[in-house]
Amino acid sequence: MKQSLQLTNDWFSGKAPPFWLSVLDEYGYRDRNMEALEIGSWEGLSSHFLLTSLPKAHLTCVDTWEGADEHKDGTAATAEVLSRIESTFDQNLAPYKYRLTKYKGTSFSFFEKNPHREVFDFIYVDGSHHCDDVIIDAVKCFEMLKVGGVMVFDDYFWRHYPDAIDNPAAAINLFLRLKKGRFKIVRMYYQIIIEKQADRY
């Protein structure tokens, strides 16, 4: 399936699919009508994986398609790649446009315009990797996740910023402490997958 896509890189296939497939089967998502949310879509590889693996799912993709810090400083992408990220995403996801909602903007603006609780069955958090953004994404996405739903945090061990507190793990660890007793960890490796077990007490 991946071979049919236009991709300049693949940060997804090596760390996610085997674990995700086992979780999707464990939660019976493969044959369910469900709502999924993705914060950070890039060229659409993970979006494509979700839509092909979950044939009855509707997916909402949130991205600026302008790149994050690591892309804009040239560490993870060239200016040429950045200039065509959105058009590449559109091309890769064109066959699924009727099961896809594309929101172009920051995750913060998405949350402001969609202040709904317990909407999604599955959420993938892979937007900005700066701690300040990750903690907002984590808290707001948890609000939007249904009780019994699954949320995936990417890049738990990612290290880009010199100060460790600025990297995703600092925000994810804080979130897990804040929500202790309201989730269970389903898988933990380079990504952390949790199941929401309770909303606010």
Side-chain angles (χ1 to χ4, degrees), residues 2 13 18 29 51-52 62 89 109 130 144 154 188 192-193 196:
K2 172 184 153 184
S13 298
Y29 283 158
L51 288 166
T52 54
V62 178
F89 172 88
S109 68
H130 191 278
M144 289 183 153
D154 193 29
M188 185 172 183
I192 294 182
I193 304 178
K196 180 175 180 178

Side-chain angles (χ1 to χ4, degrees), residues 14 44 53 62 69 74-75 98 101 105 110 115-117 121 130 157 160 163 167 192 200:
S53 301
V62 178
D69 291 342
T75 303
Y98 297 110
T101 297
F110 174 77
H116 309 297
R117 300 181 67 85
D121 303 278
H130 191 278
F157 296 118
H160 174 74
D163 192 339
N167 289 302
I192 294 182
R200 295 178 180 173

